Amino acid sequence: MIDVLLDPTLIMTGGSLIGLVVIAAALLRGWQGWLELKRLELERAGAGNAQSEDNPGLGTARIELADLRERIRKLEAIASGVEL
């Protein structure tokens, strides 16, 4: 009976299993922390939009995005040799 418990294969298997459980627990804790961080970011973004009804930052961002899209369209036209 004692020889079976001291078998090197059984000891390695048990140690590997314990190591796998520890790593899985650490990864799960990290994943939960990352999800909590993202939840807080979403709450902060939602609270910021709710506090200010006339949020100038959002409108400005949309205008800048439209401007960047227009610039990209013009650069692609130049690269393909099309006259605007």
Side-chain angles (χ1 to χ4, degrees):
M1 181 70 182
I2 297 288
D3 290 336
V4 174
L5 292 178
L6 295 178
D7 183 31
T9 307
L10 186 61
I11 292 173
M12 290 292 289
T13 304
S16 298
L17 183 61
I18 290 171
L20 183 64
V21 169
V22 168
I23 289 172
L27 289 173
L28 179 62
R29 184 165 172 92
W31 175 251
Q32 289 173 341
W34 184 81
L35 288 176
E36 180 68 19
L37 174 68
K38 292 300 176 183
R39 186 185 62 79
L40 290 173
E41 287 177 357
L42 287 173
E43 285 178 1
R44 183 178 301 162
N49 289 340
Q51 290 175 356
S52 172
E53 291 179 8
D54 56 340
N55 190 352
L58 183 60
T60 304
R62 287 183 179 169
I63 291 171
E64 288 179 6
L65 185 59
D67 184 44
L68 287 174
R69 286 182 179 154
E70 181 66 21
R71 288 181 185 181
I72 290 172
R73 187 185 65 79
K74 288 180 181 178
L75 288 173
E76 287 175 343
I78 291 170
S80 65
V82 176
E83 288 289 325
L84 294 177

